[in-house]
Amino acid sequence: MNSLATVKNKKSVCSSWGHHQQSELDSLCNELRALPEIAAKTAIKLAASFCSDQTDLSLEQRYAMPGDDCAAFKNAEGFQLLAMEGMLPDFVRNDPRAAGWSSVMVNISDIAAMGGRPTAIVNAYWHSDEEASAILLKHMKRACDIFGIHFAGGHSSIQPGFTPHLAVAITGQAKTLLSCHHIKPGQRLFMLTDLTGSWHGDLPYWGCVQGKTPEQIRAQWNVPAELAEADLAVAAKDISNGGLLGTLIMMLELTGCGALLDLSAIPRPEGNLLRWLRAFQSFGFLLAVEPEKVSALLNYFQHSHLSCAPIGSFTSDGKIQLDYLGATAEFWNVNQQPLTAMGGKHALG
């Protein structure tokens, strides 16, 4: 084969590879957009419709409005944090042990995402079965003991015919606040996760507490607060229901910023990429980091079992642009397609 034919053949192979990667990325985007976990977030629009227009509010006033993982209220020590999570009725009915534990853990992660440390929870549950209710309470209390927070009671109602329901609220305190209101174009997007965890059966759930002592668990969930207090991050959001991309959409909605995301840079376990992107991570956060802090942040995790890696950057256009091995695609535009409609009226304000 002459040299000209060789060059043409290489170009043909590269073109074919490029088309294959683009097709894979487009297919992945379609699957992610169709996830029921992301679609479920649209229900938040109802609550958003009752919130005041935030355009003329001060930043401190916006901290107290819905939109971040917690409401934050300025006080003498920094910020008091308040959040609440509800468990799906089927989850409460079918697995009260996991529902009790998870109701505490997800609230702990909300506090952590704001740069805070948790102090106490209260709960409200309705059930038709006293034994199942006792399991719920036992594992809420177990989680509180492990995370080192107060189990402060709440409301109980057990009557025949009731559908099981559980909601748990939490308080915490942040010395230095992490908030998605702080996100600006040019900041770096990081992912913080624990790859020493494992999958929960066939579910898209990545657990990270197995085999760790209570002291290790508390220290791990305090890491975002340490990053805030060391000025190594300005915003965070925990990767929960909706996975990495659903979390990123909500992270961007408060400011109307966009993001460039390199899928190949994401720290992940071996296996299917889609499963990891949609995973509920018991410990996982997206971080916004100022460019001049990147080196110090990487150094912070140099000897840690946790993985913290740059996976992209924030932009000004509201678009989530994905890159995968050279192929690119627009996944979402938060300004044209609001998911929760929280805070969007003051985009980049």
Side-chain angles (χ1 to χ4, degrees):
M1 182 181 290
N2 62 42
S3 59
L4 180 59
T6 301
V7 170
K8 287 182 177 178
N9 185 54
K10 287 182 178 178
K11 287 182 176 179
S12 176
V13 170
C14 289
S15 177
S16 176
W17 172 253
H19 286 308
H20 173 71
Q21 292 304 115
Q22 189 64 54
S23 177
E24 274 198 350
L25 180 57
D26 291 341
S27 177
L28 179 64
C29 285
N30 289 334
E31 289 183 89
L32 288 167
R33 291 189 197 100
L35 289 177
E37 303 97 294
I38 292 181
K41 299 297 182 183
T42 61
I44 299 173
K45 288 181 179 179
L46 177 61
S49 69
F50 286 88
C51 297
S52 302
D53 182 352
Q54 298 186 30
T55 306
D56 297 324
L57 299 182
S58 68
L59 183 58
E60 190 172 302
Q61 289 173 321
R62 291 176 189 175
Y63 291 152
M65 296 290 290
D68 259 321
D69 281 340
C70 297
F73 306 90
K74 183 70 175 174
N75 62 18
E77 290 76 37
F79 290 87
Q80 183 183 23
L81 305 176
L82 178 64
M84 187 174 191
E85 294 281 355
M87 299 290 103
L88 292 171
D90 284 348
F91 186 30
V92 178
R93 180 176 58 250
N94 297 331
D95 197 345
R97 180 182 187 276
W101 167 271
S102 298
S103 67
V104 175
M105 183 195 70
V106 295
N107 271 301
I108 299 281
S109 292
D110 282 343
I111 295 290
M114 302 296 293
R117 293 175 171 82
T119 52
I121 68 160
V122 293
N123 70 88
Y125 73 91
W126 292 258
H127 217 296
S128 58
D129 184 272
E130 188 167 323
E131 184 176 343
S133 299
I135 295 173
L136 272 179
L137 292 169
K138 175 183 177 180
H139 290 285
M140 277 190 275
K141 178 64 165 59
R142 179 175 70 94
C144 287
D145 290 344
I146 288 175
F147 282 101
I149 67 171
H150 297 291
F151 181 60
H155 170 84
S156 302
S157 190
I158 306 173
Q159 291 188 31
F162 273 6
T163 299
H165 290 283
L166 172 65
V168 173
I170 191 167
T171 61
Q173 181 70 29
K175 294 179 182 177
T176 304
L177 193 68
L178 298 177
S179 171
C180 293
H181 289 290
H182 300 160
I183 293 173
K184 296 178 181 178
Q187 293 169 346
R188 302 297 186 257
L189 175 62
F190 271 69
M191 179 178 178
L192 170 62
T193 188
D194 183 357
L195 296 181
T196 68
S198 61
W199 292 110
H200 185 71
D202 295 328
L203 298 174
Y205 176 82
W206 183 260
C208 302
V209 298
Q210 195 71 27
K212 292 183 174 74
T213 66
E215 292 75 21
Q216 290 170 326
I217 291 170
R218 294 173 198 174
Q220 182 161 321
W221 262 263
N222 278 337
V223 165
E226 293 176 4
L227 298 182
E229 291 158 14
D231 195 27
L232 295 180
V234 297
K237 203 163 188 70
D238 72 301
I239 302 170
S240 55
N241 203 29
L244 191 155
L245 273 301
T247 299
L248 181 58
I249 294 169
M250 293 186 290
M251 189 177 195
L252 297 172
E253 280 192 305
L254 291 189
T255 61
C257 282
L260 300 174
L261 175 61
D262 182 358
L263 295 179
S264 63
I266 291 172
R268 66 186 182 98
E270 293 183 3
N272 183 270
L273 175 61
L274 175 62
R275 187 184 189 190
W276 182 241
L277 291 177
R278 74 177 295 193
F280 187 123
Q281 299 182 31
S282 68
F283 182 90
F285 298 86
L286 295 179
L287 307 174
V289 179
E290 296 291 359
E292 65 273 16
K293 301 293 183 177
V294 167
S295 179
L297 179 64
L298 292 172
N299 187 62
Y300 177 94
F301 289 99
Q302 189 174 3
H303 302 293
S304 173
H305 71 283
L306 299 174
S307 298
C308 188
I311 61 172
S313 59
F314 292 96
T315 64
S316 62
D317 58 9
K319 298 176 182 178
I320 298 177
Q321 301 274 7
L322 304 185
D323 182 289
Y324 184 56
L325 301 176
T328 59
E330 181 179 319
F331 173 72
W332 205 277
N333 187 321
V334 300
N335 294 325
Q336 294 181 1
Q337 189 183 1
L339 185 63
T340 70
M342 286 290 185
K345 292 181 181 178
H346 70 270
L348 295 177

